[in-house]
């Protein structure tokens, strides 16, 4: 995208935290109740990028764009990691990068451990698509916002579509309404 100074800008404005997660084995018999195997409910990450690794127990699933009935397992090879785009990066890229909905489902007999490095904009940084990402084929989707404000909005509402409601420009909000009606 010809954003020469983007990497150094990102380094100046990004912070991260690291989290280790433990998922218990679902009660036996596995998946007796519909939710028994859900380790982590469906969500999009709110930050910019999440880098995930795990032990040898799979469980991550993603939802194809615009298909909220299908879940596709993500098989992470041993020693590999997965990068997940979050809502802040989706907004910054003017929707060119998609923040995929994902969840964790446990099916086996073994505990799952995962670790994640959660990259996010530093306190007070603004999330605003650079003009290189906006043109007549890519009209602006989100207003600029302060990441901390978006996060507070999300934490106070826990809305699944927090980004669209909080920062979506009218076209995005109209599309959302239409989807809800259809
Ligand atoms: O444990 C995983 O694989 C996913 C964790 C996750 O999606 C999250 O913490 O946001
Ligand atoms: Fe996540």
């Amino acid at each position: 995208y010809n954003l020469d100074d983007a990497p150094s800008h990102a380094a100046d404005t990004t912070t991260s935290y690291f989290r280790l997660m433990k998922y218990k084995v679902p009660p036996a018999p596995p998946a007796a109740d519909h939710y028994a195997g859900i380790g982590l409910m469906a969500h999009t990450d709110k930050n910019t990028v999440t880098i995930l690794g795990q032990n040898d127990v799979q469980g991550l699933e993603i939802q194809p764009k615009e298909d909220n009935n299908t879940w596709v397992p993500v098989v992470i090879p041993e020693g590999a990691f997965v990068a997940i785009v979050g809502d802040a990066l989706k907004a910054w890229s003017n929707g060119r990068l998609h923040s995929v909905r994902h969840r964790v489902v446990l099916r086996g007999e073994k505990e799952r451990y995962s670790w994640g490095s959660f990259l996010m904009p530093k306190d007070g940084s603004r999330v605003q698509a650079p003009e290189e990402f906006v043109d007549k084929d890519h009209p602006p989707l989100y207003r600029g916002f302060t990441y901390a404000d978006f996060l507070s909005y999300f934490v106070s509402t826990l809305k699944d579509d927090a980004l669209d409601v909080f920062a979506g420009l009218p076209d995005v909000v109209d599309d959302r309404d239409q989807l809800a009606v259809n």
Side-chain angles (χ1 to χ4, degrees), residues 40-65:
L40 185 64
M41 301 287 280
H43 64 282
T44 58
D45 288 353
K46 305 301 151 201
N47 52 318
T48 41
V49 178
T50 303
I51 298 167
L52 280 176
Q54 64 175 25
N55 64 348
D56 57 348
V57 179
Q58 304 288 346
L60 183 65
E61 298 188 347
I62 57 171
Q63 203 160 60
K65 212 172 169 178

PDB file of all heavy atoms in Angstrom, residues 40-65:
ATOM      1  N   LEU A  40     -14.175 -20.548  24.781  1.00  0.00           N
ATOM      2  CA  LEU A  40     -14.192 -19.081  24.699  1.00  0.00           C
ATOM      3  C   LEU A  40     -15.254 -18.712  23.676  1.00  0.00           C
ATOM      4  O   LEU A  40     -15.260 -19.220  22.554  1.00  0.00           O
ATOM      5  CB  LEU A  40     -12.804 -18.584  24.261  1.00  0.00           C
ATOM      6  CG  LEU A  40     -12.604 -17.077  24.228  1.00  0.00           C
ATOM      7  CD1 LEU A  40     -12.724 -16.468  25.624  1.00  0.00           C
ATOM      8  CD2 LEU A  40     -11.227 -16.737  23.641  1.00  0.00           C
ATOM      9  N   MET A  41     -16.173 -17.852  24.100  1.00  0.00           N
ATOM     10  CA  MET A  41     -17.292 -17.451  23.243  1.00  0.00           C
ATOM     11  C   MET A  41     -16.801 -16.696  22.002  1.00  0.00           C
ATOM     12  O   MET A  41     -15.751 -16.061  22.023  1.00  0.00           O
ATOM     13  CB  MET A  41     -18.219 -16.507  24.016  1.00  0.00           C
ATOM     14  CG  MET A  41     -18.801 -17.096  25.272  1.00  0.00           C
ATOM     15  SD  MET A  41     -20.054 -18.324  24.924  1.00  0.00           S
ATOM     16  CE  MET A  41     -21.430 -17.245  24.572  1.00  0.00           C
ATOM     17  N   ALA A  42     -17.654 -16.732  20.978  1.00  0.00           N
ATOM     18  CA  ALA A  42     -17.340 -16.040  19.722  1.00  0.00           C
ATOM     19  C   ALA A  42     -17.140 -14.547  19.953  1.00  0.00           C
ATOM     20  O   ALA A  42     -17.902 -13.927  20.700  1.00  0.00           O
ATOM     21  CB  ALA A  42     -18.492 -16.253  18.750  1.00  0.00           C
ATOM     22  N   HIS A  43     -16.110 -14.007  19.329  1.00  0.00           N
ATOM     23  CA  HIS A  43     -15.831 -12.577  19.466  1.00  0.00           C
ATOM     24  C   HIS A  43     -14.880 -12.125  18.351  1.00  0.00           C
ATOM     25  O   HIS A  43     -14.236 -12.950  17.714  1.00  0.00           O
ATOM     26  CB  HIS A  43     -15.182 -12.283  20.828  1.00  0.00           C
ATOM     27  CG  HIS A  43     -13.835 -12.924  20.984  1.00  0.00           C
ATOM     28  ND1 HIS A  43     -13.676 -14.267  21.270  1.00  0.00           N
ATOM     29  CD2 HIS A  43     -12.586 -12.432  20.843  1.00  0.00           C
ATOM     30  CE1 HIS A  43     -12.392 -14.562  21.308  1.00  0.00           C
ATOM     31  NE2 HIS A  43     -11.694 -13.458  21.047  1.00  0.00           N
ATOM     32  N   THR A  44     -14.802 -10.817  18.172  1.00  0.00           N
ATOM     33  CA  THR A  44     -13.677 -10.277  17.404  1.00  0.00           C
ATOM     34  C   THR A  44     -12.751  -9.656  18.430  1.00  0.00           C
ATOM     35  O   THR A  44     -13.203  -9.152  19.465  1.00  0.00           O
ATOM     36  CB  THR A  44     -14.113  -9.173  16.411  1.00  0.00           C
ATOM     37  OG1 THR A  44     -14.759  -8.121  17.126  1.00  0.00           O
ATOM     38  CG2 THR A  44     -15.053  -9.723  15.348  1.00  0.00           C
ATOM     39  N   ASP A  45     -11.452  -9.666  18.166  1.00  0.00           N
ATOM     40  CA  ASP A  45     -10.518  -8.998  19.069  1.00  0.00           C
ATOM     41  C   ASP A  45     -10.668  -7.489  18.845  1.00  0.00           C
ATOM     42  O   ASP A  45     -10.935  -7.044  17.735  1.00  0.00           O
ATOM     43  CB  ASP A  45      -9.088  -9.470  18.805  1.00  0.00           C
ATOM     44  CG  ASP A  45      -8.872 -10.908  19.281  1.00  0.00           C
ATOM     45  OD1 ASP A  45      -9.783 -11.472  19.917  1.00  0.00           O
ATOM     46  OD2 ASP A  45      -7.789 -11.454  19.019  1.00  0.00           O
ATOM     47  N   LYS A  46     -10.518  -6.718  19.896  1.00  0.00           N
ATOM     48  CA  LYS A  46     -10.709  -5.259  19.790  1.00  0.00           C
ATOM     49  C   LYS A  46      -9.397  -4.545  19.467  1.00  0.00           C
ATOM     50  O   LYS A  46      -9.407  -3.406  19.013  1.00  0.00           O
ATOM     51  CB  LYS A  46     -11.273  -4.689  21.102  1.00  0.00           C
ATOM     52  CG  LYS A  46     -12.550  -5.360  21.552  1.00  0.00           C
ATOM     53  CD  LYS A  46     -13.663  -5.260  20.525  1.00  0.00           C
ATOM     54  CE  LYS A  46     -14.584  -6.455  20.662  1.00  0.00           C
ATOM     55  NZ  LYS A  46     -15.370  -6.732  19.466  1.00  0.00           N
ATOM     56  N   ASN A  47      -8.291  -5.195  19.766  1.00  0.00           N
ATOM     57  CA  ASN A  47      -6.963  -4.585  19.595  1.00  0.00           C
ATOM     58  C   ASN A  47      -6.558  -4.564  18.118  1.00  0.00           C
ATOM     59  O   ASN A  47      -7.410  -4.726  17.246  1.00  0.00           O
ATOM     60  CB  ASN A  47      -5.968  -5.381  20.455  1.00  0.00           C
ATOM     61  CG  ASN A  47      -6.031  -6.875  20.176  1.00  0.00           C
ATOM     62  OD1 ASN A  47      -7.104  -7.442  20.034  1.00  0.00           O
ATOM     63  ND2 ASN A  47      -4.900  -7.512  20.078  1.00  0.00           N
ATOM     64  N   THR A  48      -5.280  -4.353  17.843  1.00  0.00           N
ATOM     65  CA  THR A  48      -4.849  -4.327  16.435  1.00  0.00           C
ATOM     66  C   THR A  48      -4.516  -5.728  15.921  1.00  0.00           C
ATOM     67  O   THR A  48      -5.121  -6.178  14.952  1.00  0.00           O
ATOM     68  CB  THR A  48      -3.633  -3.392  16.240  1.00  0.00           C
ATOM     69  OG1 THR A  48      -2.728  -3.553  17.330  1.00  0.00           O
ATOM     70  CG2 THR A  48      -4.057  -1.950  16.165  1.00  0.00           C
ATOM     71  N   VAL A  49      -3.571  -6.397  16.574  1.00  0.00           N
ATOM     72  CA  VAL A  49      -3.187  -7.739  16.130  1.00  0.00           C
ATOM     73  C   VAL A  49      -2.961  -8.611  17.356  1.00  0.00           C
ATOM     74  O   VAL A  49      -2.377  -8.157  18.342  1.00  0.00           O
ATOM     75  CB  VAL A  49      -1.860  -7.711  15.321  1.00  0.00           C
ATOM     76  CG1 VAL A  49      -1.453  -9.118  14.901  1.00  0.00           C
ATOM     77  CG2 VAL A  49      -1.969  -6.825  14.094  1.00  0.00           C
ATOM     78  N   THR A  50      -3.421  -9.852  17.278  1.00  0.00           N
ATOM     79  CA  THR A  50      -3.145 -10.837  18.330  1.00  0.00           C
ATOM     80  C   THR A  50      -2.310 -11.947  17.717  1.00  0.00           C
ATOM     81  O   THR A  50      -2.636 -12.455  16.644  1.00  0.00           O
ATOM     82  CB  THR A  50      -4.468 -11.448  18.857  1.00  0.00           C
ATOM     83  OG1 THR A  50      -5.295 -10.401  19.332  1.00  0.00           O
ATOM     84  CG2 THR A  50      -4.209 -12.440  19.974  1.00  0.00           C
ATOM     85  N   ILE A  51      -1.215 -12.284  18.389  1.00  0.00           N
ATOM     86  CA  ILE A  51      -0.380 -13.391  17.922  1.00  0.00           C
ATOM     87  C   ILE A  51      -0.567 -14.528  18.911  1.00  0.00           C
ATOM     88  O   ILE A  51      -0.346 -14.354  20.113  1.00  0.00           O
ATOM     89  CB  ILE A  51       1.089 -12.948  17.832  1.00  0.00           C
ATOM     90  CG1 ILE A  51       1.183 -11.808  16.814  1.00  0.00           C
ATOM     91  CG2 ILE A  51       1.994 -14.109  17.431  1.00  0.00           C
ATOM     92  CD1 ILE A  51       2.494 -11.071  16.829  1.00  0.00           C
ATOM     93  N   LEU A  52      -1.027 -15.664  18.396  1.00  0.00           N
ATOM     94  CA  LEU A  52      -1.421 -16.780  19.267  1.00  0.00           C
ATOM     95  C   LEU A  52      -0.602 -18.030  19.015  1.00  0.00           C
ATOM     96  O   LEU A  52      -0.343 -18.375  17.858  1.00  0.00           O
ATOM     97  CB  LEU A  52      -2.862 -17.186  18.943  1.00  0.00           C
ATOM     98  CG  LEU A  52      -4.028 -16.394  19.487  1.00  0.00           C
ATOM     99  CD1 LEU A  52      -5.313 -16.979  18.908  1.00  0.00           C
ATOM    100  CD2 LEU A  52      -4.057 -16.441  21.009  1.00  0.00           C
ATOM    101  N   GLY A  53      -0.260 -18.706  20.085  1.00  0.00           N
ATOM    102  CA  GLY A  53       0.347 -20.028  19.984  1.00  0.00           C
ATOM    103  C   GLY A  53      -0.400 -20.940  20.942  1.00  0.00           C
ATOM    104  O   GLY A  53      -1.190 -20.469  21.771  1.00  0.00           O
ATOM    105  N   GLN A  54      -0.163 -22.235  20.869  1.00  0.00           N
ATOM    106  CA  GLN A  54      -0.899 -23.168  21.729  1.00  0.00           C
ATOM    107  C   GLN A  54      -0.065 -24.416  21.978  1.00  0.00           C
ATOM    108  O   GLN A  54       0.928 -24.657  21.281  1.00  0.00           O
ATOM    109  CB  GLN A  54      -2.221 -23.556  21.057  1.00  0.00           C
ATOM    110  CG  GLN A  54      -1.970 -24.311  19.755  1.00  0.00           C
ATOM    111  CD  GLN A  54      -3.226 -24.839  19.078  1.00  0.00           C
ATOM    112  OE1 GLN A  54      -4.301 -24.325  19.270  1.00  0.00           O
ATOM    113  NE2 GLN A  54      -3.068 -25.884  18.281  1.00  0.00           N
ATOM    114  N   ASN A  55      -0.490 -25.236  22.955  1.00  0.00           N
ATOM    115  CA  ASN A  55       0.112 -26.567  23.078  1.00  0.00           C
ATOM    116  C   ASN A  55      -0.469 -27.438  21.956  1.00  0.00           C
ATOM    117  O   ASN A  55      -1.047 -26.910  21.006  1.00  0.00           O
ATOM    118  CB  ASN A  55      -0.097 -27.140  24.491  1.00  0.00           C
ATOM    119  CG  ASN A  55      -1.581 -27.382  24.812  1.00  0.00           C
ATOM    120  OD1 ASN A  55      -2.464 -26.935  24.084  1.00  0.00           O
ATOM    121  ND2 ASN A  55      -1.842 -28.074  25.900  1.00  0.00           N
ATOM    122  N   ASP A  56      -0.379 -28.764  22.078  1.00  0.00           N
ATOM    123  CA  ASP A  56      -0.799 -29.588  20.934  1.00  0.00           C
ATOM    124  C   ASP A  56      -2.306 -29.842  20.900  1.00  0.00           C
ATOM    125  O   ASP A  56      -2.766 -30.715  20.173  1.00  0.00           O
ATOM    126  CB  ASP A  56      -0.019 -30.915  20.946  1.00  0.00           C
ATOM    127  CG  ASP A  56      -0.216 -31.666  22.263  1.00  0.00           C
ATOM    128  OD1 ASP A  56      -0.761 -31.069  23.229  1.00  0.00           O
ATOM    129  OD2 ASP A  56       0.163 -32.840  22.335  1.00  0.00           O
ATOM    130  N   VAL A  57      -3.076 -29.096  21.665  1.00  0.00           N
ATOM    131  CA  VAL A  57      -4.530 -29.289  21.649  1.00  0.00           C
ATOM    132  C   VAL A  57      -5.172 -28.186  20.803  1.00  0.00           C
ATOM    133  O   VAL A  57      -5.090 -27.010  21.151  1.00  0.00           O
ATOM    134  CB  VAL A  57      -5.116 -29.274  23.083  1.00  0.00           C
ATOM    135  CG1 VAL A  57      -6.629 -29.446  23.054  1.00  0.00           C
ATOM    136  CG2 VAL A  57      -4.454 -30.359  23.921  1.00  0.00           C
ATOM    137  N   GLN A  58      -5.780 -28.614  19.692  1.00  0.00           N
ATOM    138  CA  GLN A  58      -6.420 -27.644  18.801  1.00  0.00           C
ATOM    139  C   GLN A  58      -7.742 -27.170  19.410  1.00  0.00           C
ATOM    140  O   GLN A  58      -8.252 -27.756  20.352  1.00  0.00           O
ATOM    141  CB  GLN A  58      -6.704 -28.288  17.431  1.00  0.00           C
ATOM    142  CG  GLN A  58      -5.486 -28.878  16.750  1.00  0.00           C
ATOM    143  CD  GLN A  58      -4.516 -27.818  16.220  1.00  0.00           C
ATOM    144  OE1 GLN A  58      -4.848 -26.629  16.116  1.00  0.00           O
ATOM    145  NE2 GLN A  58      -3.307 -28.252  15.888  1.00  0.00           N
ATOM    146  N   GLY A  59      -8.322 -26.154  18.837  1.00  0.00           N
ATOM    147  CA  GLY A  59      -9.613 -25.701  19.337  1.00  0.00           C
ATOM    148  C   GLY A  59     -10.068 -24.373  18.765  1.00  0.00           C
ATOM    149  O   GLY A  59     -11.242 -24.005  18.870  1.00  0.00           O
ATOM    150  N   LEU A  60      -9.142 -23.658  18.134  1.00  0.00           N
ATOM    151  CA  LEU A  60      -9.517 -22.352  17.581  1.00  0.00           C
ATOM    152  C   LEU A  60     -10.388 -22.548  16.337  1.00  0.00           C
ATOM    153  O   LEU A  60     -10.104 -23.404  15.501  1.00  0.00           O
ATOM    154  CB  LEU A  60      -8.239 -21.586  17.232  1.00  0.00           C
ATOM    155  CG  LEU A  60      -8.415 -20.160  16.713  1.00  0.00           C
ATOM    156  CD1 LEU A  60      -9.024 -19.256  17.788  1.00  0.00           C
ATOM    157  CD2 LEU A  60      -7.069 -19.587  16.266  1.00  0.00           C
ATOM    158  N   GLU A  61     -11.450 -21.784  16.256  1.00  0.00           N
ATOM    159  CA  GLU A  61     -12.330 -21.828  15.073  1.00  0.00           C
ATOM    160  C   GLU A  61     -12.628 -20.402  14.624  1.00  0.00           C
ATOM    161  O   GLU A  61     -12.763 -19.507  15.455  1.00  0.00           O
ATOM    162  CB  GLU A  61     -13.654 -22.528  15.405  1.00  0.00           C
ATOM    163  CG  GLU A  61     -13.484 -23.975  15.831  1.00  0.00           C
ATOM    164  CD  GLU A  61     -14.806 -24.728  15.977  1.00  0.00           C
ATOM    165  OE1 GLU A  61     -15.884 -24.092  15.984  1.00  0.00           O
ATOM    166  OE2 GLU A  61     -14.753 -25.966  16.099  1.00  0.00           O
ATOM    167  N   ILE A  62     -12.765 -20.228  13.320  1.00  0.00           N
ATOM    168  CA  ILE A  62     -13.086 -18.893  12.789  1.00  0.00           C
ATOM    169  C   ILE A  62     -14.358 -18.953  11.945  1.00  0.00           C
ATOM    170  O   ILE A  62     -14.728 -20.007  11.421  1.00  0.00           O
ATOM    171  CB  ILE A  62     -11.945 -18.306  11.926  1.00  0.00           C
ATOM    172  CG1 ILE A  62     -11.584 -19.232  10.763  1.00  0.00           C
ATOM    173  CG2 ILE A  62     -10.724 -18.008  12.776  1.00  0.00           C
ATOM    174  CD1 ILE A  62     -10.629 -18.600   9.774  1.00  0.00           C
ATOM    175  N   GLN A  63     -14.960 -17.798  11.803  1.00  0.00           N
ATOM    176  CA  GLN A  63     -16.197 -17.694  11.038  1.00  0.00           C
ATOM    177  C   GLN A  63     -15.904 -16.977   9.714  1.00  0.00           C
ATOM    178  O   GLN A  63     -15.323 -15.890   9.729  1.00  0.00           O
ATOM    179  CB  GLN A  63     -17.174 -16.862  11.851  1.00  0.00           C
ATOM    180  CG  GLN A  63     -18.602 -17.098  11.496  1.00  0.00           C
ATOM    181  CD  GLN A  63     -19.508 -16.645  12.607  1.00  0.00           C
ATOM    182  OE1 GLN A  63     -19.514 -15.484  12.967  1.00  0.00           O
ATOM    183  NE2 GLN A  63     -20.260 -17.566  13.151  1.00  0.00           N
ATOM    184  N   PRO A  64     -16.313 -17.590   8.587  1.00  0.00           N
ATOM    185  CA  PRO A  64     -16.108 -16.894   7.316  1.00  0.00           C
ATOM    186  C   PRO A  64     -16.830 -15.546   7.331  1.00  0.00           C
ATOM    187  O   PRO A  64     -17.858 -15.393   7.990  1.00  0.00           O
ATOM    188  CB  PRO A  64     -16.728 -17.827   6.273  1.00  0.00           C
ATOM    189  CG  PRO A  64     -16.862 -19.150   6.946  1.00  0.00           C
ATOM    190  CD  PRO A  64     -16.999 -18.883   8.414  1.00  0.00           C
ATOM    191  N   LYS A  65     -16.282 -14.596   6.576  1.00  0.00           N
ATOM    192  CA  LYS A  65     -16.886 -13.267   6.493  1.00  0.00           C
ATOM    193  C   LYS A  65     -18.336 -13.394   6.025  1.00  0.00           C
ATOM    194  O   LYS A  65     -18.617 -14.148   5.091  1.00  0.00           O
ATOM    195  CB  LYS A  65     -16.071 -12.485   5.439  1.00  0.00           C
ATOM    196  CG  LYS A  65     -15.977 -11.024   5.678  1.00  0.00           C
ATOM    197  CD  LYS A  65     -14.985 -10.447   4.668  1.00  0.00           C
ATOM    198  CE  LYS A  65     -15.040  -8.947   4.685  1.00  0.00           C
ATOM    199  NZ  LYS A  65     -14.077  -8.349   3.766  1.00  0.00           N
TER     200      LYS A  65
END
